[in-house]
Amino acid sequence: MNTPVISSLRPPKVLSPVVLAAGLAIALLIVGEIVSPGFAGHGQIVNMLRVSAFLGIIAIGQTIVIISGGEGIDLSVGKVATFAAIIGSRVMDGDNTKLLPALTLALTVAAAIGLCNGLGITYLRIPPFVMTLGMIGVVQGLILAYTSGQAHGRAAPFLTSLVNGKVIFDLPGLLFLWLLLAVAVTWMLRRTTYGWQLFAVGANRVSARLSGIPVRRTVILAYVLSSVFAGLAGILLLGYTESVFLDLADQYMLPSIAAAVIGGTLLAGGIGGYAGTAIGAVVLTVLQSLLITLEISAAGRTVINGLVLIVLLSLYGRQRRLRT
Amino acid sequence: MALLEMNGVRKRFGGVLALDDASLSAAGGEVHALLGPNGSGKSTLNKTLTGVVVPDRASITIDGSPVAIHGPRDAHAHGVAAVYQQLSVVDDLTVTQNVVLGLEPTRRLGLLDRRAARTVAAEVLTRFSPAFAGSVPYDAAVGALSPGEQQIVEICKALARRPRILVLDEATASLHKEQVHVLFEVVRELRDSGVLVVFTSHRMDEVFALCDQATVLRNGRTVGTIALADATEDQLVHMMVGDVERREEARRSHASDRTVLQVRGLTTQRLRDVSFSVAQGEVLGLGGLQGQGQSDLLLAMFGAAKIHAGEVLYDGVPLPLTSPVKAARAGVALVPGDRGRQGMFAVRPIQENLSIASMHRRATARLALSQRAERRAARGIVERLNIVIGGLADRISTLSGGNQQKVVIGKWLLNEPRVVLLDDPTKGIDITAKEEVYAIIRELADSGAAVVFNSSDNRELLEMSDRVLVLFEGGVVDELTDAQVTEEDLVASALRLEAGETL
């Protein structure tokens, strides 16, 4: 083979998905401000960012899983987030002193679910789509067994004030936490051996194995991280809603994938990053707010969401001429 | 009059100017070689003709009339078909289905006409029946065939399109001699019927045996066209390489008497009872027909194949060969045979491709990477191996084949291996890069590593190795130790032509 393979991000006219998504977010804000003055006001923006944070944190794990390749996807993130919130709510039950045990238990359970996903996908060779789809059912069963159909408890006040209260510069603590996580995850992806191994495994599993990378361990850890971040997002969502319900975070599953993909993470694996995903989460949230402001029905919103995703992906596809 | 005229072809990939005013002029009824080292752009020029690459600028005429080729469909429409070393066959379809793929004859209502399909496929496939050991496996899934047979199917697929211009780009690389022979007969028939065959191969003997004319490229430009009947090998090499002095280094062994690597009774699904030893600083060659277990042996020694019996010892201590992770930790390195599929991470930067096997050594707590340390390590290798790159952040896929291979080798050098396994490391790379790979192998051996080296090129095998093991059907059948061993001896041994041997 002596193919000068055609793929380069170099040509200047190519915009990176991150830039494109950020531009879209700003454009949506401007449109919103025009059709409904006050849409892009300070309070509104803070509120939209806060809503984005939940999606953004769930999508951390989704991004990691998608980068790991092998048709990697985690459909169980929404359910895991819900389960974590239910466990957290029952254990802390409005008591600040029980916040830490609640968090520990919820995240441990989440990690165990992720471990099952990872083991099933690597050792039993179950396709990620099937494994995590099946896991939704398993977790739903666990939720019913744990709650007997009735959710208990409520958020600890500290948790609620972290999410809803203003901490610094009139901004909720949640946003700082999100920023912190974003920096940590970006560091992990770009400046750790695990991050580089993850990209390598996603880019070419055979090469990864023959380069001495522990491929299975890398993939399993990706699914564990996905569940843990989902669990964390569930707990934070509990702080926002204060009390829990049985399908609290279920609807975050598809948007978490959409956020990652909008942000330029390649569904085939091996390419991507968290900055794009975070912006993707903001884009989706601003779009939702705009559609609600325009008083478009729920059905219409779903259609438009889908269309935006298709248009964006086709734009990326046009730019990224991969023939590897 | 020329059937094909390509002039002023220019193509830039990112920062690399692959073609700069390249040209090619060839008549119908000839076999025209396209030669040049790898970065020279011959593959890009080929792909410009077949529509895989759209040039920035080009004027192409076929039969005197200007044509525009914007994609493979346009190329088809003008009667151009191509075969590459990289296969496009569908593993799950049968041989027949693959050959007629895209040309399926249909009956009314668009139903497939299986019988007609079989006829169309048989027409081209029967000519190649010696290449399938006598009988064409029409209904076998292509995935079940040997790589050489798959390549033949790929060639038949192109021939079924009845091309006026046939491009064979390294199409013989995975064929054994018998198959090459059959292919050449077919190509000569095509030539006699007026087809233009554009032929690219790194094997000069094939070029001389088959081609009438040769166009030589260097650095993206056409150097000239020469009639091969009047040309010598040295002349062509000179055209390709230019006025650079050719290094003619005599083989000099630095092997010590100390045996460091011992393979004892190694048996896997594809290997039977393989035993040998390698001394410190020795280069052990693996020869024989390709596909006789050389790659399997190297994979097994890297922990990438299930070992049924036997062991590999280093300094008397068994190497942990239950997984490549453990083998790599124990100081074993493998440069695999298929660079694209097994060696590199095409979409990732050169930096990561170089760091990936050794970064844990430089990382804090085996986790936190220092960008400066990684960059320094990568730059050191880039300079040491003379890898031509734009920047470390560029994707490895932007490099030429030779430079990609040097990155794959460099990845392991950073891990300071004690045992280096190389599976046909110079396959499909240009002469200059080959020489550099040879120098790297020598340097590794001189620094005390035990090197096991498989090659499909007998000449380089003899030049590079201190000893050559000949493999046949997964076992070692011969060991050539004499420094005076000739290529003929090696070929005879590989074909097991000695008296009393049964095939």
Side-chain angles (χ1 to χ4, degrees), chain B residues 34-49:
Chain B
L34 201 53
L35 303 174
N38 247 16
S40 65
K42 61 185 188 308
S43 208
T44 312
L45 187 61
N46 261 338
K47 288 184 172 163
T48 304
L49 175 60

Side-chain angles (χ1 to χ4, degrees), chain A residues 1-5 7 10 191-193 196 199-200 204 207-211 213 270-271 322-324, chain B residues 38 42-44 47 52 85-86 304 324 339 341-344 346 348 366-367 369 371 394-395 397 411-412:
Chain A
M1 187 197 84
N2 51 354
T3 357
V5 182
S7 76
R10 289 223 139 178
R191 290 284 180 278
T192 68
T193 50
W196 286 21
F199 280 112
N204 186 339
S207 291
R209 179 162 171 270
L210 294 181
S211 298
I213 296 174
I271 292 180
L322 269 182
R323 300 201 191 159
T324 330
Chain B
N38 247 16
K42 61 185 188 308
S43 208
T44 312
K47 288 184 172 163
V52 177
Q85 185 186 344
Q86 279 164 314
R339 182 169 62 245
R341 271 188 54 250
Q342 305 176 311
M344 58 182 223
R348 302 306 304 169
R366 302 181 80 87
L367 183 75
L369 294 170
Q371 196 177 16
D394 290 351
R395 291 181 182 192
S397 55
K411 157 176 91 178
W412 286 115

Side-chain angles (χ1 to χ4, degrees), chain B residues 364-428:
Chain B
T364 311
R366 302 181 80 87
L367 183 75
L369 294 170
S370 143
Q371 196 177 16
R372 195 183 301 165
E374 292 310 309
R375 229 186 258 154
R376 196 188 308 131
R379 284 221 187 98
I381 283 292
V382 166
E383 275 168 33
R384 185 171 149 201
L385 305 189
N386 190 22
I387 309 176
V388 182
I389 64 169
L392 286 172
D394 290 351
R395 291 181 182 192
I396 188 176
S397 55
T398 59
L399 302 181
S400 71
N403 284 308
Q404 289 176 353
Q405 186 68 301
K406 284 194 263 178
V407 170
V408 174
I409 297 173
K411 157 176 91 178
W412 286 115
L413 294 192
L414 283 171
N415 204 33
E416 293 165 16
R418 311 183 282 177
V419 178
V420 181
L421 314 170
L422 301 121
D423 191 356
D424 221 349
T426 62
K427 185 163 126 189

Side-chain angles (χ1 to χ4, degrees), chain B residues 175-372:
Chain B
L175 300 184
H176 63 66
K177 223 174 174 118
E178 177 80 354
Q179 292 167 325
V180 172
H181 193 70
V182 179
L183 173 63
F184 282 11
E185 274 175 24
V186 175
V187 167
R188 290 191 184 106
E189 279 171 37
L190 287 171
R191 174 188 64 192
D192 295 344
S193 67
V195 174
L196 163 62
V197 179
V198 179
F199 185 81
T200 303
S201 171
H202 281 93
R203 297 179 187 160
M204 285 301 218
D205 50 340
E206 291 182 356
V207 170
F208 276 102
L210 184 69
C211 301
D212 309 306
Q213 299 277 325
T215 290
V216 177
L217 285 149
R218 192 199 312 155
N219 299 329
R221 290 168 181 274
T222 297
V223 181
T225 299
I226 183 168
L228 279 168
D230 319 327
T232 64
E233 197 164 318
D234 286 346
Q235 232 177 326
L236 279 178
V237 169
H238 184 257
M239 280 176 88
M240 277 190 249
V241 183
D243 287 325
V244 187
E245 234 171 87
R246 259 189 94 196
R247 272 183 295 170
E248 285 284 3
E249 227 167 295
R251 188 174 122 201
R252 52 191 169 83
S253 173
H254 287 236
S256 71
D257 294 334
R258 199 167 79 89
T259 294
V260 283
L261 189 71
Q262 273 182 293
V263 177
R264 284 195 196 149
L266 202 60
T267 303
T268 69
Q269 205 187 346
R270 308 283 303 277
L271 296 175
R272 41 185 185 88
D273 198 18
V274 173
S275 299
F276 60 88
S277 58
V278 188
Q280 192 170 35
E282 186 182 26
V283 178
L284 178 74
L286 298 181
L289 297 173
Q290 283 305 293
Q292 301 300 313
Q294 296 93 338
S295 301
D296 307 280
L297 175 58
L298 297 179
L299 285 170
M301 290 176 73
F302 189 63
K306 197 170 161 48
I307 295 173
H308 298 320
E311 57 184 352
V312 179
L313 303 145
Y314 189 92
D315 264 349
V317 183
L319 287 173
L321 297 182
T322 48
S323 79
V325 179
K326 288 184 185 153
R329 290 264 156 86
V332 185
L334 171 70
V335 176
D338 187 334
R339 182 169 62 245
R341 271 188 54 250
Q342 305 176 311
M344 58 182 223
F345 305 96
V347 297
R348 302 306 304 169
I350 295 160
Q351 169 75 68
E352 288 176 27
N353 272 281
L354 279 170
S355 288
I356 200 76
S358 62
M359 58 187 175
H360 56 273
R361 301 162 71 112
R362 296 178 294 274
T364 311
R366 302 181 80 87
L367 183 75
L369 294 170
S370 143
Q371 196 177 16
R372 195 183 301 165

Side-chain angles (χ1 to χ4, degrees), chain A residues 167-190:
Chain A
V167 180
I168 317 168
F169 305 131
D170 227 14
L171 294 170
L174 175 66
L175 291 188
F176 294 99
L177 181 64
W178 187 23
L179 186 68
L180 196 72
L181 289 173
V183 171
V185 168
T186 304
W187 175 77
M188 186 201 80
L189 288 174
R190 295 166 71 160

